[in-house]
Amino acid sequence: MAFELAFAVLLRLVLVLSPLRRLLKDDSQLSSPLTSYSRLREGIYLFREGINPYSGGTFRHSPLFLALFSTVIPDSEAFAAILWACVDVLGAWALVRIWRARGRVGTSKRDSLIAALYLLNPYIFLPSLSLSTSTFDTTLQLVSLMFAAQGQASASLLTLAFTAHLSLPSLLLLPPTVLLLLADPYSHLASPRPFNGKISKGLPLFAEFSAYFCSLVLASTVVSDGSGWIINSWGAGLLLPDLTPNPGLWWYFFTEMFDHFRPFFLMIFSVHLVIYVAPLCIKFQHDPLYAAFLLLGVLGIFKPYPTLSDPGLFLSLISLFPETYPHLRYPIVTTLLHLHAFLLLPLFHHLWIATGTGNANFFYASTLVFGIANGGALLDCVWAGLRVAMGEEREGYVIVQE
């Protein structure tokens, strides 16, 4: 596995020195208003000059990024390229450790494959190359799941608190993470049983997470010298003030929305994200890691400001569940849809923005194809996760689920 990690870092460093990095730097498919490196550098400059970066309404990163990049991390794109590559490697390492915990093995032949599938996934690779801070969100989510799979409650909850602080929709991962800490990461898809732990044991875990989260909120308020960052950072995901085009499904809908309908549909879109948590956690209570995996797929589709790294994380996690592969119904169709969308997104964006021969409908059509591809993959994985519980016999299927 060391060879794959070294190769991935070397490849990124080579591409950083090429003109490709400059072309991808401000690509709206790879970085959003909440994750753009250009906006981050602008905010750091204002912060160092004693100007509140949140006063202009364009800086939407967490104050923790301000504190980190203005004190500890040098403000250099060359150093940032190395840092982003190392963060990606950390994510691949965490993914491998999750696989080992799930399979109860120390090392396996599959380790290198899992690391390679993550590091060479273009949905993960390209946002990292553009220095999108979504790379930090993705890696922190994996590290949190890794600690939970290893039974390290405090480390997992603290990492998840950082993740939710940087990307508020990640709060949806708290219930399956707590279930994972109360259960185990082993594969139980083939033999589902009701959750045998006591839910009351999860209350201290929720309280511990709340303490970490509130501490980060307090630290951010001190760093930014006020609470104005909340409406500009977290509020952006709820109020959608910036309608910069992205691969998601929100921006075009609210571009065409009449103002007096806007609050109602903002509430509907926000609540829509939440309604998946309870059904998935209840149905897959016997395998909380799989429930967390499916919720990451939901976020990849319906997140307010997604980038390619959001569905990329979901697709990379499929490598952890080889027992579901025989039960996937349309893997070829889903793969072709993703390939189709991956080609259409930059093409239609270029026709609209660069050449002026297209319009917003062109790009939004490609995002709909992308949404269908992600939705197809998610539904296929839900089906496969349920179908594993059925054992095949000569004359049909026998249900092993009680």
Side-chain angles (χ1 to χ4, degrees):
M1 187 178 70
F3 174 77
E4 286 79 5
L5 298 180
F7 175 75
V9 174
L10 180 61
L11 180 61
R12 279 166 169 75
L13 294 180
V14 170
L15 291 176
V16 162
L17 301 176
S18 70
L20 181 61
R21 180 187 59 81
R22 297 181 182 88
L23 294 175
L24 299 178
K25 184 178 177 181
D26 296 311
D27 193 303
S28 60
Q29 302 155 67
L30 308 178
S31 59
S32 70
L34 278 64
T35 62
S36 170
Y37 182 70
S38 297
R39 297 199 185 199
L40 176 60
R41 294 194 69 182
E42 179 183 352
I44 293 170
Y45 173 79
L46 294 175
F47 185 69
R48 287 175 173 172
E49 295 296 320
I51 302 173
N52 185 356
Y54 297 101
S55 60
T58 59
F59 182 75
R60 306 194 181 281
H61 291 75
S62 166
L64 297 183
F65 276 124
L66 283 179
L68 188 64
F69 281 87
S70 61
T71 57
V72 179
I73 300 177
D75 185 14
S76 165
E77 289 198 21
F79 184 85
I82 299 174
L83 175 63
W84 259 253
C86 293
V87 170
D88 254 358
V89 170
L90 176 61
W93 175 76
L95 190 62
V96 171
R97 295 296 296 269
I98 295 171
W99 161 253
R100 291 176 179 176
R102 185 170 177 82
R104 307 187 191 188
V105 295
T107 58
S108 69
K109 297 180 180 179
R110 194 177 175 83
D111 292 353
S112 298
L113 176 62
I114 291 175
L117 287 176
Y118 180 81
L119 293 172
L120 300 179
N121 183 344
Y123 290 170
I124 298 293
F125 179 79
L126 293 177
S128 176
L129 193 59
S130 71
L131 302 183
S132 169
T133 58
S134 60
T135 299
F136 288 83
D137 303 340
T138 299
T139 297
L140 285 172
Q141 287 169 348
L142 286 174
V143 172
S144 176
L145 289 176
M146 178 195 72
F147 284 132
Q150 295 174 343
Q152 301 181 44
S154 296
S156 176
L157 295 174
L158 178 59
T159 309
L160 184 59
F162 272 103
T163 309
H165 185 81
L166 300 180
S167 178
L168 193 60
S170 298
L171 275 173
L172 300 184
L173 297 177
L174 179 58
T177 301
V178 170
L179 287 177
L180 185 57
L181 289 169
L182 295 177
D184 58 64
Y186 313 136
S187 177
H188 296 292
L189 291 176
S191 56
R193 295 290 187 274
F195 181 72
N196 55 7
K198 293 184 178 180
I199 301 299
S200 59
K201 293 182 179 179
L203 295 179
L205 298 178
F206 281 104
E208 184 177 355
F209 173 84
S210 300
Y212 293 144
F213 192 75
C214 292
S215 299
L216 292 176
V217 172
L218 179 61
S220 297
T221 303
V222 172
V223 168
S224 62
D225 196 23
S227 59
W229 65 274
I230 296 178
I231 191 66
N232 283 279
S233 183
W234 292 351
L238 300 174
L239 303 177
L240 211 73
D242 194 318
L243 296 177
T244 301
N246 58 66
L249 303 175
W250 287 48
W251 67 273
Y252 186 82
F253 186 86
F254 286 97
T255 299
E256 302 294 327
M257 177 64 59
F258 291 109
D259 288 342
H260 54 281
F261 290 129
R262 185 180 173 89
F264 172 76
F265 281 100
L266 281 172
M267 179 193 68
I268 294 299
F269 273 58
S270 299
V271 171
H272 182 255
L273 269 173
V274 180
I275 62 175
Y276 294 96
V277 178
L280 289 176
C281 288
I282 292 172
K283 187 58 184 178
F284 291 97
Q285 58 185 285
H286 53 281
D287 201 324
L289 184 60
Y290 202 76
F293 158 66
L294 295 177
L295 282 174
L296 285 172
V298 171
L299 288 177
I301 302 172
F302 300 114
K303 197 174 180 180
Y305 287 100
T307 63
L308 292 184
S309 62
D310 294 298
L313 175 59
F314 170 72
L315 295 175
S316 296
L317 282 171
I318 294 178
S319 61
L320 298 178
F321 311 102
E323 66 271 29
T324 64
Y325 296 170
H327 305 282
L328 295 173
R329 290 178 295 176
Y330 311 112
I332 296 178
V333 175
T334 303
T335 302
L336 292 177
L337 276 172
H338 268 287
L339 178 61
H340 190 56
F342 187 72
L343 297 175
L344 283 182
L345 283 168
L347 175 61
F348 282 177
H349 188 269
H350 178 77
L351 290 176
W352 174 28
I353 301 298
T355 66
T357 55
N359 54 42
N361 294 322
F362 281 54
F363 183 67
Y364 190 59
S366 63
T367 64
L368 291 177
V369 174
F370 189 55
I372 292 173
N374 292 323
L378 177 62
L379 290 175
D380 220 1
C381 290
V382 172
W383 169 268
L386 296 174
R387 196 71 183 224
V388 170
M390 304 182 69
E392 186 175 3
E393 291 186 338
R394 289 184 180 181
E395 297 181 356
Y397 294 89
V398 56
I399 304 291
V400 299
Q401 181 176 0
E402 295 182 355

